[in-house]
Amino acid sequence: MKVAVMQPYFLPYIGYWQLIGAVDRFVLLDDVNYIVRGYINRNRILLEGKPYPFTIPIKKASQNKLICDTKLCFGTKEKRKFLQTIQNAYRKKPYFGEVMPLVERIIDCSEEDLTQYIMNSIQIILGYLDIRTELYISSKLKKKQGMKAEERILEICKVMEADIYINPSGGRRLYVGEHFERENIKLFFINMIAEQVIYDQSSIAFEENLSIIDVLMFNDKKKVQGFLKEYELHE
């Protein structure tokens, strides 16, 4: 059983989706502190040829709150404004007609819980891309409490019956292979082959690591599915 664990991110870059696609079970780590000005509820799209940051608003955002205790204050007016921004940015792009309804379904979700709102967005895009990875929410798992860092991940792996754990390469400084091997779990790190995930953005220079919205607006589903396989696994 291949497992990955990551904080919930809203419409993140394609590397996040590669990680989801590489495993059987993906756990949204929401019983950790929310990061103000992080990428949990923020990302970037391409607007008039330049990276443009977007944010979905949070009610009383605080790093002293867990993600699972964080709520949205994303009202109808703010949602319409967000959708108008996406329309302005991508209405002339090749797959706007196919992708914009997905974005509308994501934004119009009535859920106020941040984790559930993001989970809904992930489920919609996974459905579009025919990815069958099972999604779980960390705060809802029956696991030992009070653990931190690597110890917490190992506990989630046990609950998820993992024999392989895959983490982004940035976690090399956080996780030790021997610690996982003691629990009969093989540790791998995923690296996106960035030069293989380049596409025509109708701009002078390619802007990498934008929201998945950008990838979907410029590429058909088959090509995006191909991008999702452009990674390497290393021990």
Side-chain angles (χ1 to χ4, degrees):
M1 183 68 69
K2 292 180 285 187
V3 172
V5 182
M6 281 291 292
Q7 291 98 326
Y9 290 109
F10 185 63
L11 299 173
Y13 86 120
I14 195 164
Y16 192 94
W17 304 93
Q18 287 182 335
L19 180 60
I20 297 178
V23 298
D24 303 302
R25 293 177 172 177
F26 186 84
V27 180
L28 297 172
L29 184 65
D30 70 331
D31 44 359
V32 294
N33 287 72
Y34 169 79
I35 301 172
V36 175
R37 291 184 293 278
Y39 275 85
I40 293 171
N41 61 311
R42 300 167 67 240
N43 216 286
R44 302 177 305 148
I45 57 171
L46 201 64
L47 182 62
E48 297 179 352
K50 298 179 181 179
Y52 175 86
F54 67 78
T55 304
I56 54 171
I58 297 298
K59 187 181 296 183
K60 297 181 180 178
S62 171
Q63 295 192 170
N64 296 319
K65 281 185 180 180
L66 300 180
I67 298 171
C68 59
D69 295 328
T70 301
K71 306 298 180 185
L72 295 171
C73 57
F74 202 13
T76 301
K77 182 178 179 180
E78 291 80 11
K79 289 180 177 181
R80 299 280 72 78
K81 183 177 179 181
F82 181 94
L83 290 172
Q84 188 61 57
T85 299
I86 301 300
Q87 289 172 354
N88 292 341
Y90 293 105
R91 61 161 48 99
K92 295 182 180 179
K93 305 313 178 191
Y95 298 94
F96 175 83
E98 192 172 329
V99 176
M100 193 63 202
L102 300 178
V103 177
E104 291 172 349
R105 284 174 57 201
I106 287 168
I107 299 304
D108 285 336
C109 175
S110 61
E111 182 62 62
E112 293 185 357
D113 179 88
L114 177 61
T115 303
Q116 293 289 349
Y117 190 84
I118 292 176
M119 185 171 184
N120 176 71
S121 71
I122 293 173
Q123 288 172 325
I124 288 173
I125 292 177
L126 293 186
Y128 174 72
L129 294 173
D130 299 322
I131 299 173
R132 306 193 186 282
T133 302
E134 298 174 10
L135 297 181
Y136 295 84
I137 294 176
S138 177
S139 62
K140 297 185 181 300
L141 297 179
K142 293 181 180 180
K143 61 184 189 304
K144 295 178 183 177
Q145 302 301 314
M147 295 180 169
K148 295 182 179 180
E150 184 185 70
E151 195 176 39
R152 187 205 311 264
I153 298 300
L154 281 167
E155 174 65 12
I156 292 173
C157 283
K158 292 175 193 176
V159 173
M160 289 287 99
E161 301 178 333
D163 52 23
I164 293 175
Y165 176 69
I166 303 177
N167 199 82
S169 57
R172 285 186 178 279
R173 67 186 186 280
L174 302 175
Y175 306 124
V176 179
E178 289 84 352
H179 297 172
F180 284 78
E181 287 175 7
R182 289 176 198 158
E183 305 295 338
N184 296 313
I185 300 168
K186 192 73 176 178
L187 174 63
F188 288 97
F189 295 95
I190 189 169
N191 290 284
M192 182 171 69
I193 307 172
E195 61 269 23
Q196 298 297 326
V197 189
I198 295 176
Y199 50 93
D200 183 7
Q201 292 175 324
S202 303
S203 58
I204 296 173
F206 179 74
E207 294 289 346
E208 61 181 7
N209 296 337
L210 297 178
S211 167
I212 190 66
I213 292 176
D214 192 79
V215 181
L216 297 175
M217 289 290 188
F218 282 103
N219 302 278
D220 65 26
K221 181 164 72 172
K222 186 175 181 180
K223 189 166 185 179
V224 177
Q225 290 170 331
F227 286 158
L228 295 178
K229 298 176 182 178
E230 296 293 348
Y231 64 80
E232 297 174 334
L233 294 179
H234 301 279
E235 295 184 22

